[in-house]
Amino acid sequence: MNLEEKCKILLSVCQECLERHTEMRRLDRDPDFFEEVKPYADKYHAMLDEWAEESYAWIKVARPKYVHPSQIDTLTDGMKQFIVQSFYKKTGLKRFVLTIRSAEYTLKTFIDAIEEERKRELR
């Protein structure tokens, strides 16, 4: 799986987290940590670590204009938090949604930069 595909998967995870949080609040239920939260979080935390490593390497080579290493750090920290928080109905909505929107923006910026780099290579 390449970097662009990982970006798209992580983008869909953002949406899943928003939907899950809404559903957990609607159902007014608490998840089973070891059955629901931990397996999901472990899967995507590992993917985020892979994504971050590949992103740092890609930035060094491609030197995109609007993508920076600090964005990688912010995105991985934020996503690792909201992936877990999305299971809990007591998670504050405003900050939760803002963190997801920020992650989505960064991922879309990465996708655009990757596509731009691909176009430049074809020239």
Side-chain angles (χ1 to χ4, degrees), residues 36-100:
E36 296 175 75
V37 182
K38 188 171 180 357
Y40 187 86
D42 287 348
K43 175 182 176 181
Y44 289 110
H45 286 191
M47 180 182 273
L48 276 164
D49 291 339
E50 285 176 28
W51 175 85
E53 220 174 279
E54 290 176 28
S55 295
Y56 287 125
W58 179 75
I59 286 174
K60 282 183 181 177
V61 173
R63 304 179 67 91
K65 194 183 275 188
Y66 302 109
V67 178
H68 307 285
S70 62
Q71 292 171 295
I72 297 169
D73 298 334
T74 302
L75 183 132
T76 53
D77 290 345
M79 278 195 80
K80 284 181 178 183
Q81 287 178 13
F82 73 67
I83 283 170
V84 173
Q85 291 171 343
S86 69
F87 285 90
Y88 296 96
K89 63 186 178 195
K90 292 184 180 179
T91 297
L93 190 59
K94 184 177 181 181
R95 192 163 145 221
F96 175 75
V97 171
L98 288 175
T99 306
I100 290 175

Side-chain angles (χ1 to χ4, degrees), residues 21-37:
H21 186 256
T22 301
E23 190 66 8
M24 295 304 258
R25 289 181 102 160
R26 188 183 70 75
L27 296 174
D28 193 30
R29 82 173 187 87
D30 291 318
D32 180 299
F33 180 78
F34 291 102
E35 291 292 320
E36 296 175 75
V37 182

